[in-house]
Amino acid sequence: MVERTLAIIKPDAVSKKFTGKIIDMIENHGFNIIRMQKLRMAPEHGQAFYAVHKERPFFGELVEFITSGPVVVMALEKENAIKDWRTLMGATNPAQADAGTVRKLYAESIGKNAVHGSDAPETAQEEIKFFFHDL
Ligand code: CMP
């Protein structure tokens, strides 16, 4: 089934100039980039995006990091886009990520982990709408 998912290239990867390399991996794995925007999230924007994690001990750190510099936000489309983008990203903790994944190649820690991907169809729809209101 053709699906859409939200991908974010996070501030660590953007500042290290990995944007092009990550987009290349995305396109080489058959995803279509439906929309793409580079932006800097405001603190309220970061808090709202990660609201599901607001009770976690690392919430403050998470929002501070995602708002620390520009991100590149993309709506991706392909068959099984949600699962396939998560597979291509690799494990949340780069120390546990498989060889050849984005996080193995470009992430430095569980917090500064280079990329984000939606985890389920409902969250994918919500997260895409959060950035691209008309999708
Ligand atoms: P992401 O998939 O963008 O959504 C939630 C984020 O929380 C996750 O990526 C991690 O970067 C971050 N995260 C998860 N666990 C921790 C942790 N123990 N410390 C800091 N950040 C974390």
Side-chain angles (χ1 to χ4, degrees):
M1 190 185 51
V2 174
E3 284 181 330
R4 289 180 179 179
T5 192
L6 186 85
I8 303 178
I9 305 177
K10 296 187 183 183
D12 57 323
V14 171
S15 69
K16 291 176 184 165
K17 311 281 186 199
F18 293 145
T19 301
K21 291 181 170 69
I22 294 171
I23 291 173
D24 217 26
M25 289 176 76
I26 288 170
E27 292 200 309
N28 286 337
H29 282 78
F31 293 88
N32 286 319
I33 301 171
I34 303 296
R35 291 287 172 83
M36 176 161 66
Q37 191 179 356
K38 187 172 187 176
L39 56 96
R40 183 160 180 180
M41 292 169 78
E44 314 79 69
H45 205 202
Q47 284 167 7
F49 183 74
Y50 278 132
V52 61
H53 298 299
K54 65 176 182 297
E55 305 304 333
R56 306 271 189 114
F58 55 82
F59 181 66
E61 195 185 315
L62 184 59
V63 172
E64 199 173 313
F65 168 62
I66 203 69
T67 59
S68 66
V71 296
V72 175
V73 184
M74 287 171 273
L76 305 181
E77 188 175 79
K78 82 184 273 297
E79 285 215 354
N80 301 316
I82 297 167
K83 180 170 153 287
D84 287 0
W85 171 229
R86 291 181 72 81
T87 301
L88 183 58
M89 286 195 299
T92 305
N93 184 348
Q96 286 152 16
D98 289 339
T101 61
V102 176
R103 284 170 171 157
K104 187 69 179 187
L105 289 164
Y106 301 122
E108 60 180 74
S109 66
I110 192 164
K112 295 180 177 173
N113 64 354
V115 281
H116 169 84
S118 310
D119 62 1
E122 306 72 46
T123 41
Q125 177 60 32
E126 276 174 31
E127 290 182 359
I128 289 169
K129 272 238 175 288
F130 187 89
F131 289 102
F132 304 112
H133 306 298
D134 59 320
L135 288 184

